[in-house]
């Protein structure tokens, strides 16, 4: 497809997204969605009530802010503001929060502040950034990911949470947030990204000195396999770290992981498997990996010479088109935009279903193709 044809396609998809999300906003009210009910196809659970500290609770508002920026429709703004206020309960609970405070408040408070200048939103974002910086281990030079007895655990998802620290650095003019973020990115680059461009999901480090102890399976098939969404977290996360720091090493590692991802997803007609190194049967898909990777490819394309751009933009468009054609949820009476996302290889609860973060990255990527997005990271 030519650039003009891509834009025409993306514009048509955007119109469908806008129509459908307006219906969903009215149906949801103040609820924070996650996965639609299997029987009804509608969002039933309100994560703001059942689990205020749940890590995905910012993605719906992030989608709404992206749409508000693109359309100036106040319906999106009001619902996003309501979700942001609901997440104050998560600050009060505190004990369930971990490194995913980036996902939770970049998409709510920080997005609000960037678009409206709301001072209360700025305070919420800085509160979250201080929580994230407080998880930094100065001996190991990493940010611990999870809670409980996992003092040395780091997961690749963290690369998309540290942009909260880059924002805090810029907002406060305080370089210590950037130092923490870069130390962490360097650690992930050194010990979690593999030489061939694949990545581990988890690195377990000695919390007293930062030595790598093991790399458990995590949400992929097994240790040493290649969980596709983990590759996508790395692609977009390192591209964003390059955007915020200008460190060429980050762009190079984002490209290396991208080349690995592209070589794998091209084998399956541009929709990724849950794990690129899992057994051939059963065949299991994860559209969320493709949606996030597409955003990463489009970010990389901004920073490479013209002769390289086509590789990344074509890969992004191929993934978006194939996914929307095969797994787009077109019916207005059903919630969700993209089906066949999978939370984890071995967890049957959320296997090949619509999941809120898959929708978020799809919306962001479509808006980026149309130059209607804004930097939420």
């Amino acid at each position: 497809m030519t650039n003009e044809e891509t834009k025409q396609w993306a514009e048509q998809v955007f119109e469908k997204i806008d129509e459908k999300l307006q219906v969903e906003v009215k149906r949801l009210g103040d609820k924070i969605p996650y996965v639609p009910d299997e029987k009804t196809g509608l969002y039933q659970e309100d994560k703001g009530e059942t689990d205020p500290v749940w890590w995905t609770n910012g993605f719906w508002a992030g989608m709404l802010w992206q749409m508000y920026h693109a359309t100036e429709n106040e319906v999106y703004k009001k619902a996003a503001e309501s979700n942001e206020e609901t997440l104050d309960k998560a600050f009060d609970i505190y004990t369930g929060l971990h490194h995913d405070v980036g996902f939770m408040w970049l998409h709510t408070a920080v997005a609000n502040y960037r678009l409206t200048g709301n001072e209360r939103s700025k305070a919420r974002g800085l509160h979250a950034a201080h929580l994230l910086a407080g998880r930094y281990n100065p001996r190991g030079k990493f940010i611990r990911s999870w809670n409980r007895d996992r003092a040395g655990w780091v997961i690749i998802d963290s690369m998309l949470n540290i942009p909260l620290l880059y924002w805090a650095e810029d907002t406060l003019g305080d370089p210590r947030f950037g130092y923490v973020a870069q130390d962490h990115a360097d650690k992930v680059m050194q010990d979690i990204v593999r030489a061939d461009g694949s990545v581990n999901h988890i690195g377990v480090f000695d919390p007293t000195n930062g030595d790598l102890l093991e790399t458990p399976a995590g949400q992929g098939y097994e240790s040493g396999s290649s969980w596709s969404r983990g590759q996508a977290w790395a692609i977009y996360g390192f591209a964003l770290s390059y955007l915020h720091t200008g460190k060429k090493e980050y762009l190079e590692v984002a490209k290396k992981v991208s080349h690995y991802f592209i070589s794998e997803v091209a084998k399956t007609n541009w929709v990724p498997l849950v794990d690129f190194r899992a057994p051939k049967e059963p065949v299991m898909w994860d559209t969320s990996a493709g949606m996030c990777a597409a955003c990463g490819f489009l970010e990389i394309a901004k920073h490479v010479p013209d002769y390289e751009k086509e590789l990344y933009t074509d890969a992004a468009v191929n993934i978006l088109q194939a996914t929307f054609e095969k797994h787009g949820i077109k019916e207005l009476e059903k919630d969700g935009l993209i089906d066949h996302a999978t939370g984890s290889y071995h967890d049957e609860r959320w296997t090949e279903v619509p999941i809120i973060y898959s929708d978020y990255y799809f919306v962001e990527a479509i808006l980026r193709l149309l130059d209607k997005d804004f930097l939420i990271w």
Side-chain angles (χ1 to χ4, degrees):
M1 293 180 75
T2 65
N3 288 340
E4 185 58 35
E5 289 171 332
T6 297
K7 287 276 178 98
Q8 290 175 359
W9 173 80
E11 190 64 50
Q12 292 170 358
V13 173
F14 167 68
E15 290 174 3
K16 294 176 182 178
I17 290 171
D18 188 24
E19 180 185 19
K20 184 161 192 187
L21 288 184
Q22 288 189 58
V23 172
E24 288 192 14
V25 168
K26 292 176 182 177
R27 212 158 34 214
L28 276 167
D30 295 335
K31 291 181 180 178
I32 298 179
Y34 177 47
V35 174
D37 180 78
E38 184 179 357
K39 293 180 181 179
T40 66
L42 299 175
Y43 292 123
Q44 303 286 359
E45 181 185 11
D46 177 7
K47 279 291 186 181
E49 286 296 325
T50 62
D51 194 356
V53 297
W54 184 243
W55 73 277
T56 68
N57 282 352
F59 284 105
W60 173 240
M63 225 184 319
L64 299 177
W65 281 120
Q66 290 285 8
M67 292 301 294
Y68 172 69
H69 175 264
T71 67
E72 298 184 350
N73 187 334
E74 290 287 323
V75 167
Y76 294 127
K77 180 175 181 283
K78 290 177 181 177
E81 288 172 335
S82 175
N83 279 195
E84 179 183 333
E85 292 171 3
T86 297
L87 288 189
D88 284 348
K89 291 188 289 187
F91 283 138
D92 294 338
I93 295 169
Y94 173 71
T95 50
L97 296 174
H98 42 86
H99 75 131
D100 283 322
V101 293
F103 284 137
M104 295 174 73
W105 278 282
L106 277 168
H107 293 257
T108 54
V110 175
N112 190 351
Y113 176 67
R114 281 178 161 144
L115 292 181
T116 73
N118 185 302
E119 286 295 318
R120 179 69 185 106
S121 297
K122 175 183 177 182
R124 290 180 174 118
L126 292 174
H127 186 170
H130 280 88
L131 291 176
L132 184 57
R135 302 181 69 85
Y136 178 70
N137 181 317
R139 294 293 183 268
K141 294 192 173 182
F142 62 81
I143 299 167
R144 70 170 288 179
S145 291
W146 288 329
N147 297 331
R148 302 194 299 278
D149 58 345
R150 297 173 174 178
W153 286 51
V154 172
I155 64 174
I156 191 64
D157 319 38
S158 59
M159 288 304 301
L160 274 168
N161 282 281
I162 61 174
L164 179 64
L165 299 178
Y166 296 127
W167 170 78
E169 177 185 19
D170 292 342
T171 301
L172 294 176
D174 187 340
R176 66 196 168 101
F177 291 97
Y179 297 150
V180 170
Q182 290 185 57
D183 279 356
H184 181 79
D186 291 346
K187 190 70 171 175
V188 172
M189 182 169 59
Q190 173 184 314
D191 289 325
I192 294 184
V193 178
R194 304 180 187 129
D196 66 352
S198 65
V199 304
N200 296 298
H201 179 204
I202 302 170
V204 179
F205 299 96
D206 185 329
T208 68
N209 58 25
D211 289 347
L212 181 64
L213 302 177
E214 59 176 320
T215 54
Q219 288 168 251
Y221 175 69
E222 65 181 4
S223 178
S225 67
S226 179
W227 178 49
S228 60
R229 194 162 72 250
Q231 321 302 306
W233 295 140
I235 291 165
Y236 200 10
F238 278 105
L240 289 165
S241 277
Y242 172 73
L243 170 69
H244 288 292
T245 68
K247 288 182 68 170
K248 290 288 187 181
E249 307 97 290
Y250 296 156
L251 181 60
E252 290 307 311
V253 76
K255 290 166 63 176
K256 180 169 73 171
V257 181
S258 294
H259 300 162
Y260 172 83
F261 191 102
I262 292 168
S263 71
E264 292 296 325
V265 76
K267 299 174 186 176
T268 54
N269 295 315
W270 301 101
V271 178
L273 299 167
V274 176
D275 193 308
F276 293 134
R277 294 178 183 166
K280 290 185 178 180
E281 298 292 338
V283 176
M284 293 169 57
W285 306 101
D286 182 13
T287 54
S288 73
M291 298 300 91
C292 180
C295 291
F297 297 153
L298 294 175
E299 183 62 41
I300 291 170
K302 297 177 182 177
H303 307 294
V304 296
D306 287 344
Y307 65 86
E308 288 187 51
K309 290 183 188 297
E310 190 173 318
L311 169 65
Y312 302 104
T313 55
D314 283 358
V317 171
N318 287 342
I319 290 170
L320 292 166
Q321 290 183 330
T323 301
F324 188 64
E325 178 182 339
K326 296 174 186 175
H327 302 299
I329 304 171
K330 317 297 197 306
E331 305 95 325
L332 295 178
E333 60 271 19
K334 291 185 178 180
D335 285 330
L337 300 174
I338 300 294
D339 205 343
H340 279 67
T342 296
S344 175
Y345 188 92
H346 295 289
D347 189 345
E348 294 182 2
R349 288 178 300 167
W350 302 314
T351 298
E352 296 183 343
V353 297
I355 302 180
I356 196 67
Y357 44 78
S358 189
D359 286 4
Y360 171 78
Y361 289 109
F362 176 63
V363 169
E364 182 184 291
I366 292 298
L367 293 181
R368 186 165 295 177
L369 289 176
L370 297 170
D371 297 318
K372 292 181 178 180
D373 69 312
F374 77 103
L375 181 67
I376 214 163
W377 308 99

